[in-house]
C-alpha cells in the first residue's frame, strides 16, 4: 500500500478555456451526428416539430438553426442547460444523460452558439462563444426583447410556437467550402441528403409513429423561397419478406453488467434496393451488424463491435440485429453514435441463443442466404471453375482446356494474405479467391523462391479440393468444418517446417 501523502495546500485549477474548447471540438462529431444530438434535446422537451435551417449566401453558410416546439426553458433551466456537464434531472425515458450534448455538438461545428427559448410567454436567451469561454467561462445573457424578435423570425418560420427553443450556430468553422462558384451548391448537394439519411435513420421510430416531424431547409439570404425537405423515416429492418425462412428470431443474451438483452436477428432478402437496406449507400454492405436502440433512438447503426471480424463482410451483407438497451448502465460515447463493448460482453453477444440456435447459427444462416441468392442469380449450367491469377499462365491455359474446353469458365484466383494464426488457407467465396497465409509463405515454399505464381502444387490441390464449393454445393457449416480440418492437417506440416527453419 502506498503511504498516504499529506495535503499542504490547494491550487484552484479551472480548465483553460481555449484549449478545452479546442479539444472538445475535436471529439469526432460529424455534422449529422451533431445535429442529431441537438434534436435529442428537442425530443426530451416533447417537441412535435423540428426544423433544421442552413442560412447561406452565395459562398458560405452563415448560420445553422435548429428550432423546436418543445416545452422551452425558463432562466434557471437555461442556466443549467448552458453549463458544461450541467446537472439536469432526467427521466429514465430521456435521451440526454451527460449534460454535454448541446455544448459539445455545437462547438464541434461552430465558434458561437446561441440559445433562445420561450416558455409561458417569456423569452430567455444566452450565448456561448470560444472567446467567452476563454474569458473565464463567462456565458452571455442576452436581451430578451431582441431575442424574442429573432425567435419570432427564425423559429419554425411563419408560425413561431408559443413555447419552444431555437439553437443558433454561427462562425461555422467546420462547414467552410472554397470560394469558387458552385462550391457551396456542390457541398450542399451531397451534405443535405447525407443529413436527411442520418436523421431519418437515427429517429426513424419517432418519425414512423408520427410523434415527431423533422424538416431541413436551406435558405438563401437574398431569396424568399426556401422549400423544406421533410426527413423521411429510414427503417433498417423494414423489408417485405425475410431473406431466409424461420427468421427473424429473438435470441437472449446475458449481457455482463446489464442483465438479459434480447437480440432480434434479421436476415434481409438478397438483392434489395429498398431504402431501409441501402440507407443511402450503393450496396448496403456497410450496414450489417448490430443496431442498438435506447429509448427508441438509434445509438449505433451497424458494425459488429468486434464480435465478427471486420464490419463489412460481403458474406454477412444481409445480417442485421436489433438490440434494445435499457435506459441506463451502458457506455455510449458522447456523440451517441457507438457503444463501447468489452471483450466479455462481445463473447456474451456471440453466445446469445433462444435455446435452439445461437448468434453463430444466425451468422451461418445469413451467409447461406447470400450464397443461395448468388447461386440462383447464376442459374443452372453455371460456368465451370478454373484456376486463375496466382498460377503460371501455362498451367492456367492447360487447366482451362482440360476442364472447360472452349467453354466460358469462372476463374478462382490465389493470393497471399493476412489470416489467423494456425490458418494455412481460407476460401473467399465472394471474391472467388483462395487466400494463403502470408506468414507461412516460407514454410509452404520450403526452400523455393517466392513469386506471383509460387507454390503451384499447393494451389492446384486446394483448387481441386474446393472448386465446387465456389459453386456452393455444400452447406456452409459442413464446408467450414472441412476447411478447418484441412487447415489443421496442413498446419501440422507447417509447424514442423517452422521449427526446422528456426533450427
Ligand atoms: N431544445 C431544448 N428544449 C428544452 N430544454 C433544452 C433544450 N436543449 C437543451 N435543453 C436543456 O439543456 C440541458 C442540457 O442539454 P445537453 O444536451 O447539453 O445535455 P443533456 O441533454 O442533459 O445530456 P447529453 O449530454 O446526453 O445530451 C438539457 O438537459 C435540457 O434541460
Ligand atoms: Mg442532450
Amino acid at each position: 500500500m502506498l503511504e498516504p501523502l499529506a495535503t499542504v495546500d490547494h491550487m484552484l485549477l479551472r480548465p483553460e478555456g481555449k484549449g478545452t474548447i479546442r479539444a472538445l471540438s475535436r471529439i469526432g462529431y460529424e455534422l449529422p451526428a451533431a445535429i442529431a444530438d441537438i434534436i435529442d434535446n428537442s425530443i426530451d422537451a416533447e417537441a412535435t416539430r423540428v426544423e433544421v435551417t442552413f442560412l447561406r449566401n452565395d459562398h458560405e453558410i452563415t448560420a445553422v438553426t435548429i428550432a423546436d416546439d418543445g416545452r422551452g426553458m425558463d432562466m434557471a433551466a437555461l442556466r443549467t442547460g448552458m453549463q458544461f456537464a450541467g446537472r439536469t434531472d432526467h427521466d429514465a425515458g430521456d435521451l440526454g444523460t451527460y449534460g454535454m450534448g448541446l455544448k459539445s455538438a455545437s462547438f464541434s461545428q461552430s465558434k458561437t452558439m446561441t440559445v433562445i427559448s420561450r416558455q409561458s410567454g417569456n423569452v430567455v436567451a444566452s450565448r456561448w462563444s470560444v472567446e467567452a469561454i476563454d474569458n473565464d467561462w463567462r456565458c452571455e445573457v442576452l436581451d430578451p426583447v431582441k431575442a424574442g424578435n429573432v425567435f419570432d423570425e427564425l423559429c419554425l418560420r411563419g408560425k413561431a410556437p408559443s413555447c419552444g427553443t431555437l439553437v443558433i450556430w454561427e462562425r461555422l468553422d467546420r462547414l467552410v467550402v472554397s470560394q469558387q462558384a458552385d462550391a457551396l451548391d456542390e457541398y450542399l448537394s451531397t451534405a443535405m441528403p447525407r443529413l436527411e439519411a442520418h436523421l431519418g435513420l437515427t429517429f426513424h421510430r419517432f418519425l414512423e409513429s408520427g410523434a415527431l416531424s423533422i424538416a431541413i431547409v436551406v435558405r438563401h439570404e437574398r431569396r424568399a423561397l426556401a422549400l423544406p425537405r421533410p426527413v423521411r423515416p429510414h427503417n433498417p429492418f423494414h423489408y417485405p419478406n425475410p431473406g431466409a425462412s424461420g427468421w427473424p428470431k429473438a435470441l437472449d443474451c446475458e449481457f455482463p453488467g446489464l442483465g438479459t438483452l434480447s437480440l432480434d436477428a434479421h436476415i434481409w432478402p438478397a438483392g434489395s434496393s429498398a431504402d431501409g437496406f441501402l440507407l443511402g449507400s450503393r450496396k448496403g454492405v456497410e450496414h450489417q451488424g448490430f443496431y442498438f436502440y435506447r429509448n427508441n433512438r438509434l445509438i449505433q447503426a451497424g458494425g459488429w463491435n468486434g464480435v465478427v471480424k471486420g464490419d463489412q463482410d460481403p458474406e454477412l451483407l444481409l445480417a442485421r440485429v436489433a438490440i434494445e438497451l435499457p435506459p441506463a448502465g451502458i457506455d455510449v460515447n458522447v456523440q451517441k453514435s457507438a457503444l463501447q463493448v468489452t471483450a466479455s460482453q462481445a463473447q456474451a453477444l456471440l453466445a446469445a441463443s433462444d435455446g435452439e440456435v445461437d448468434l453463430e447459427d444466425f451468422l451461418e444462416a445469413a451467409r447461406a442466404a447470400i450464397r443461395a441468392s448468388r447461386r440462383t442469380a447464376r442459374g443452372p449450367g453455371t460456368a465451370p471453375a478454373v484456376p486463375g491469377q496466382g498460377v503460371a499462365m501455362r498451367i492456367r491455359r492447360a487447366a482451362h482446356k482440360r476442364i472447360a474446353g472452349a467453354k466460358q469458365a469462372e476463374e478462382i484466383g490465389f493470393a497471399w494474405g493476412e489470416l489467423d494464426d494456425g490458418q494455412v488457407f481460407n476460401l473467399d467465396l465472394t471474391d472467388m479467391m483462395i487466400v494463403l497465409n502470408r506468414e507461412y509463405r516460407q514454410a509452404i515454399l520450403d526452400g523455393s523462391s517466392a513469386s506471383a505464381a509460387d507454390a503451384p502444387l499447393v494451389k492446384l490441390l486446394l483448387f481441386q479440393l474446393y472448386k465446387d464449393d465456389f459453386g456452393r454445393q455444400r452447406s456452409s457449416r459442413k464446408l467450414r468444418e472441412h476447411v478447418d480440418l484441412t487447415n489443421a492437417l496442413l498446419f501440422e506440416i507447417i509447424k514442423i517446417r517452422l521449427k526446422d527453419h528456426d533450427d
Side-chain angles (χ1 to χ4, degrees), residues 80-136:
T80 319
M82 293 301 272
Q83 188 180 18
F84 285 73
R87 269 196 219 184
T88 321
D89 288 334
H90 281 295
D91 291 340
D94 277 358
L95 306 181
T97 23
Y98 298 115
M100 280 300 278
L102 172 65
K103 285 75 63 178
S104 54
S106 300
F107 282 113
S108 75
Q109 306 298 319
S110 64
K111 288 197 155 80
T112 303
M113 178 261 288
T114 308
V115 179
I116 307 177
S117 198
R118 175 179 278 159
Q119 190 178 66
S120 318
N122 290 323
V123 172
V124 291
S126 175
R127 179 167 58 211
W128 263 133
S129 64
V130 251
E131 292 77 12
I133 285 167
D134 203 37
N135 183 19
D136 207 17

Side-chain angles (χ1 to χ4, degrees), residues 110-269:
S110 64
K111 288 197 155 80
T112 303
M113 178 261 288
T114 308
V115 179
I116 307 177
S117 198
R118 175 179 278 159
Q119 190 178 66
S120 318
N122 290 323
V123 172
V124 291
S126 175
R127 179 167 58 211
W128 263 133
S129 64
V130 251
E131 292 77 12
I133 285 167
D134 203 37
N135 183 19
D136 207 17
W137 301 82
R138 295 157 96 81
C139 184
E140 296 167 81
V141 178
L142 305 175
D143 172 3
V145 178
K146 291 220 169 91
N149 295 339
V150 174
F151 187 89
D152 285 337
E153 195 198 328
L154 294 183
C155 192
L156 304 177
R157 272 199 176 218
K159 34 202 168 318
S162 54
C163 59
T165 299
L166 176 69
V167 176
I168 306 172
W169 294 344
E170 289 164 286
R171 299 198 290 159
L172 298 138
D173 51 339
R174 287 303 196 83
L175 300 186
V176 177
V177 295
S178 85
Q179 287 287 311
Q180 273 172 342
D182 300 338
L184 184 55
D185 287 327
E186 227 163 81
Y187 167 76
L188 290 170
S189 71
T190 56
M192 293 305 106
R194 267 188 62 210
L195 175 61
E196 195 272 338
H198 183 86
L199 298 180
L201 176 61
T202 306
F203 300 112
H204 76 86
R205 290 185 176 175
F206 297 92
L207 296 165
E208 277 159 343
S209 76
L212 178 72
S213 70
I214 306 175
I216 302 172
V217 191
V218 178
R219 191 176 295 280
H220 195 294
E221 63 185 21
R222 279 188 286 102
R223 290 180 211 142
L225 190 68
L227 285 182
R229 171 204 288 258
V231 173
R232 288 175 302 120
H234 301 290
N235 183 340
F237 296 94
H238 186 72
Y239 46 78
N241 297 300
S245 67
W247 300 91
K249 284 189 198 323
L251 311 177
D252 280 343
C253 161
E254 280 315 311
F255 200 74
L258 270 194
T260 310
L261 290 184
S262 178
L263 277 62
D264 263 328
H266 292 255
I267 299 177
W268 263 82

Side-chain angles (χ1 to χ4, degrees), residues 2-8:
L2 199 68
E3 191 186 328
L5 299 174
T7 308
V8 293

Side-chain angles (χ1 to χ4, degrees), residues 37-38 40-41 44 90 95-97 99-102 336:
D37 215 335
I38 303 295
D40 279 355
N41 294 340
D44 283 349
H90 281 295
L95 306 181
T97 23
M100 280 300 278
L102 172 65
K336 302 193 186 78

